Amino acid sequence: MSTHVRIGTDIDYAAAVLRSGGLVAIPTETVYGLAADATNPKAVAAIFAAKNRPTFDPLIVHLADISQVREYVCAFPPAAEQLASRYWPGPITLVLPRQSVIPDLVTSGLDGVGVRVPSHPMTLQLLRTCQCPLAAPSANPFGGISPTTASHVAAGLGHVVDYILDGGPCTVGVESTVVSFMQPQAVVLRPGGLSIEAISAVIGPVERAVSDPAKDDSAQPSPGMLSRHYAPRIPMRLIERDEIAIPASGQRCGLLTWGTNCETGFDRVINVSEAGDLQSCAAGFFAALRDLDSSGLDCIIARKFPDSGLGVALNDRLRRASS
Ligand code: TXA
Ligand code: MG
């Protein structure tokens, strides 16, 4: 555990740590990130080591402003630029052809680099202060539940980060939507905090990448989209939206739910939004998973979300967490 890690709100200190090649956990509107100077290969390598992350899983590069994109990419297609102007700062990552200033390790050797301008004011201030782009995956040990508070980061990675910049709980709660512009037609590689409907409203219908079960995880269209991810340590089973949840007999069972169904017999129930509001569901989702995972239960039952808006990203995380 993390009794010695420094947690605070000192942006100048965080910038100094980053400039000298250290690791800082940063707040974003989606989840906390584990950041390093994206142009420093040694610092980037330390991210992979700290998370125990396979090097085939590329990192997102965070920028202070849309005007910086062209320093790191060699093409910024009009549709990508329209999305960036409309939704940045915000929860959408654009994969664009990279320039060579971005080290191979950041992109796992791919020709595209994922870039985004996050909307948390402290991290925007940090990006302006440190004056380097920040490579940052979610700040959790690889495969685990993404962190949405500074104390989640401390619990999982406190022993390996140099500083945790505490920006309070993340407001969106699920990772950014990743859209690739490496082919003429835009492709959504990962559903996330910006709905596919919001993307289509700006650039028209978009394809969704489908993973190929015959290929291994490193050969999927989006290499980080592993079949098992975001996973609690105890088994988790999914139920349909309108199914009545019944705890497994003889087991201490937790329920992750939303809406107004009144289930009984569970040892712990977390309702992320009685009104069924998907923004509230997303904001509370990872914290609820963590809570249930550390409540001394034998299993978790989770109710699927509606398959639209942010529900698409939530159901994606549920599927991976339960596989
Ligand atoms: O909201 C977020 O995106 C958070 C915050 C910290 O910004 N970051 C995040 O990073 O979720 P991470 O590393 O947990 O997920 C990044 C995923 C990769 O696993 C991969 O699926 C996709 O983004 N990705 C990143 N760069 C890519 C690239 N060059 N080509 C294809 N996919 C890429
Ligand atoms: Mg992650």
Side-chain angles (χ1 to χ4, degrees), residues 54-135:
T55 50
F56 63 73
D57 190 0
L59 306 180
I60 293 169
V61 173
H62 298 72
L63 303 173
D65 193 81
I66 187 173
S67 66
Q68 296 180 334
V69 169
R70 287 181 195 280
E71 294 172 41
Y72 305 102
V73 309
C74 26
F76 198 2
E81 209 166 344
Q82 281 163 17
L83 286 174
S85 326
R86 173 74 179 76
Y87 294 119
W88 280 351
I92 175 170
T93 294
L94 305 172
V95 177
L96 301 168
R98 68 160 161 154
Q99 289 198 25
S100 56
V101 284
I102 298 295
D104 277 334
L105 195 51
V106 169
T107 67
S108 304
L110 297 170
D111 296 333
V113 58
V115 289
R116 91 174 183 101
V117 177
S119 77
H120 197 289
M122 284 171 78
T123 288
L124 285 173
Q125 182 61 36
L126 174 67
L127 283 159
R128 289 189 288 264
T129 308
C130 72
Q131 295 195 310
C132 57
L134 295 177

Side-chain angles (χ1 to χ4, degrees), residues 79 82-83 185-186 196-207:
Q82 281 163 17
L83 286 174
Q185 191 61 36
I196 295 179
E197 293 89 332
I199 292 168
S200 299
V202 174
I203 62 167
V206 279
E207 277 178 51

